Amino acid sequence: MIILEGAESFPKQSYTVVTIGTFDGVHVGHQEILKKIVNQAKDNNGVSVVVTFWPHPRFVLQGVEESGLKLLNTFEEKSASLAEQGIDYLIKIPFTKEFSQTTSDEFIRKILIDQLGTTHLVIGYDHHFGKDREGSFEYLQAHIDEYGFTLQEIPRQDIDDVGVSSTKIRNALSKGEVDMAKSYLGKNYAISGDVIHGEKLGRKIGYPTANVRLSEPYKMIPANGIYAVKVFLENKIAFGMLYIGTKPTLTGDSVRVIEVNIFDFNDDIYDQQIRLEFLKYIRDDMKFEDLDQLTNQITKDKEVTLDILKHYPND
C-alpha cells in the first residue's frame, strides 16, 4: 500500500474506487466494506483508495484532551491494518482549522474529482464531510450528474448486520472485555510505547516490570486491572502479565501507570519500543493491606496467567 500526504501527487488511474472515513480500529465491519472496494477495483483493473483525515478533526477543533476522544489506532497502526486488507492507496489529508472551512462541493471537486479522478465512490450511510458536515450521501446523490462518478452507499442494514462499531469496541475495552474487543477487531487489541524508568519496586519483590509510556496520548487504554499479554520487542516475542492502574496499595494517587512483568526475561530494554497485545483479563486493580499481601496476590496472578498462556502458541 502506498501512503500519500495529500492527494496532489496521486497518479492518474483508469479506474479508481474511493471511500472516505476514519476507519478507527479497522474492525470486522470496516473489513467487509474494504473487501468490496478492493474487489471492485480488481474486477475493473483499477485501484482502491481510502481517504482519511489526520489528525482526527475533533483533536484539531476541540483539542486532544478537551475532546475526550480515545482512538483504537494510531495512524501507523491504522495504516498497517488497511494494508493488510489489500488497499492500494491511503490518502492522508492533513486536517487543519483552515481545511475545516472547506465546503463539501470544494472537497468533491478538488480532491475526489481533480486530484483522485474518482470513478466510483463508496460512502457509509451516516458519513458526513465538508464544512459543518454538510456533505452526505443525500447531497452527493442530488448532485451526482455534475460529478461524473458513480456512487454507492453502504446501507445501515449492512453495518447493523455486522453489529460492530468503534464505539462498541471502546465500551468493551473500558470494561476490560478484551475477548469481546478481539471478536470485533478480528485480532488482539494492542498498545505500543517506550520502556521508561520507574521506581523499580517490582525488582525488590521479585517481579521486575517494564514501565510503558504510550506513543500517543489519545490511544484507548483498557480498564484498570491485570491482563495476560503477548509482548513484542525489537528482536523478541515473549509473554507476561500487564498491570494498568493507579497503584492504590503504594501511592493512592490518580495517575494511571502501565507496567508489564515479562516472563523468563532479563534484558535491558530501557528506551526501546514495546508492543503489548491483550490476551485475557485476569482481575481488577485492588488495594491491599501491605506489600506482603500484594506480593502474594501477584504470585497467584502469575500462576493464573501461566495457565492461560498454555493455550497460546509460543511465537
Side-chain angles (χ1 to χ4, degrees), residues 20 26 61-62 81 99 182 299:
I20 313 164
V26 194
L61 300 177
Q62 301 174 23
S81 294
F99 182 81
K182 180 180 179 179
T299 300

Side-chain angles (χ1 to χ4, degrees), residues 6-8 10 12-13 16-21 49-53 91 93 99 102-123 127 129-130 135-136 139-140 144 147-151:
E8 297 86 351
F10 179 77
K12 295 301 181 185
Q13 308 288 333
T16 307
V17 185
V18 178
T19 191
I20 313 164
V49 179
V50 169
V51 176
T52 196
F53 305 105
I91 309 298
I93 304 292
F99 182 81
T102 303
T103 67
S104 55
D105 189 67
E106 289 172 335
F107 174 77
I108 293 163
R109 293 184 186 280
K110 180 180 178 181
I111 295 177
L112 295 184
I113 297 173
D114 294 346
Q115 295 178 347
L116 295 180
T118 302
T119 310
H120 184 71
L121 178 66
V122 180
I123 191 168
H127 184 74
F129 58 93
S136 64
Y139 179 91
L140 286 160
I144 195 64
Y147 297 145
F149 53 74
T150 53
L151 178 65

Side-chain angles (χ1 to χ4, degrees), residues 142-195:
H143 297 84
I144 195 64
D145 291 341
E146 304 170 29
Y147 297 145
F149 53 74
T150 53
L151 178 65
Q152 178 185 355
E153 180 187 35
I154 302 297
R156 179 168 193 155
Q157 185 64 42
D158 284 11
I159 295 171
D160 286 349
D161 284 349
V162 175
V164 178
S165 70
S166 299
T167 300
K168 281 187 177 181
I169 299 169
R170 292 188 197 102
N171 288 339
L173 291 171
S174 70
K175 300 172 188 174
E177 297 172 351
V178 294
D179 288 342
M180 182 71 73
K182 180 180 179 179
S183 70
Y184 288 153
L185 290 166
K187 59 184 176 182
N188 296 319
Y189 185 68
I191 58 175
S192 299
D194 297 315
V195 178

Side-chain angles (χ1 to χ4, degrees), residues 23-304:
F23 293 99
D24 189 31
V26 194
H27 55 62
V28 294
H30 292 145
Q31 291 167 26
E32 287 298 314
I33 296 171
L34 296 168
K35 191 184 302 179
K36 293 177 182 178
I37 293 165
V38 168
N39 288 339
Q40 178 152 354
K42 287 181 178 178
D43 290 345
N44 291 276
N45 296 315
V47 297
S48 53
V49 179
V50 169
V51 176
T52 196
F53 305 105
W54 197 265
H56 192 286
R58 280 173 57 180
F59 293 161
V60 174
L61 300 177
Q62 301 174 23
V64 175
E65 293 296 328
E66 292 80 0
S67 72
L69 178 64
K70 295 297 182 181
L71 297 182
L72 302 171
N73 285 154
T74 64
F75 183 79
E76 290 72 24
E77 289 169 342
K78 175 162 58 178
S79 302
S81 294
L82 289 170
E84 289 172 1
Q85 299 305 312
I87 295 296
D88 295 308
Y89 285 88
L90 174 59
I91 309 298
K92 177 184 178 185
I93 304 292
F95 193 88
T96 61
K97 288 185 177 180
E98 180 183 11
F99 182 81
S100 73
Q101 298 303 304
T102 303
T103 67
S104 55
D105 189 67
E106 289 172 335
F107 174 77
I108 293 163
R109 293 184 186 280
K110 180 180 178 181
I111 295 177
L112 295 184
I113 297 173
D114 294 346
Q115 295 178 347
L116 295 180
T118 302
T119 310
H120 184 71
L121 178 66
V122 180
I123 191 168
Y125 76 93
D126 63 346
H127 184 74
H128 292 77
F129 58 93
K131 183 181 179 182
D132 300 324
R133 291 169 53 83
E134 62 188 0
S136 64
F137 176 77
E138 289 73 23
Y139 179 91
L140 286 160
Q141 200 170 37
H143 297 84
I144 195 64
D145 291 341
E146 304 170 29
Y147 297 145
F149 53 74
T150 53
L151 178 65
Q152 178 185 355
E153 180 187 35
I154 302 297
R156 179 168 193 155
Q157 185 64 42
D158 284 11
I159 295 171
D160 286 349
D161 284 349
V162 175
V164 178
S165 70
S166 299
T167 300
K168 281 187 177 181
I169 299 169
R170 292 188 197 102
N171 288 339
L173 291 171
S174 70
K175 300 172 188 174
E177 297 172 351
V178 294
D179 288 342
M180 182 71 73
K182 180 180 179 179
S183 70
Y184 288 153
L185 290 166
K187 59 184 176 182
N188 296 319
Y189 185 68
I191 58 175
S192 299
D194 297 315
V195 178
I196 61 174
H197 289 274
E199 298 172 354
K200 299 179 174 61
L201 177 62
R203 292 183 182 180
K204 297 176 182 177
I205 62 174
Y207 292 97
T209 60
N211 292 260
V212 182
R213 180 177 59 207
L214 291 191
S215 301
E216 302 292 353
Y218 55 75
K219 176 77 174 182
M220 177 75 193
I221 304 172
N224 290 355
I226 308 294
Y227 298 84
V229 293
K230 192 171 186 178
V231 182
F232 295 82
L233 294 157
E234 289 180 353
N235 298 306
K236 190 177 179 75
I237 297 175
F239 292 88
M241 55 181 178
L242 177 71
Y243 171 76
I244 300 174
T246 59
K247 294 186 173 180
T249 305
L250 303 174
T251 63
D253 61 28
S254 59
V255 178
R256 293 178 90 191
V257 299
I258 303 171
E259 300 180 355
V260 59
N261 173 240
I262 307 173
F263 299 153
D264 303 318
F265 188 83
N266 295 303
D267 294 2
D268 181 350
I269 55 173
Y270 287 120
D271 301 320
Q272 286 190 28
Q273 269 275 315
I274 190 170
R275 175 180 169 85
L276 304 164
E277 287 190 0
F278 291 80
L279 303 179
K280 199 78 174 176
Y281 176 79
I282 306 299
R283 65 165 175 88
D284 289 342
D285 192 11
M286 299 165 61
K287 183 174 182 177
F288 298 94
E289 293 296 325
D290 53 39
L291 201 56
D292 287 340
Q293 202 176 88
L294 171 62
T295 305
N296 290 337
Q297 182 60 53
I298 293 174
T299 300
K300 294 176 184 177
D301 295 337
K302 182 172 183 179
E303 291 173 359
V304 173

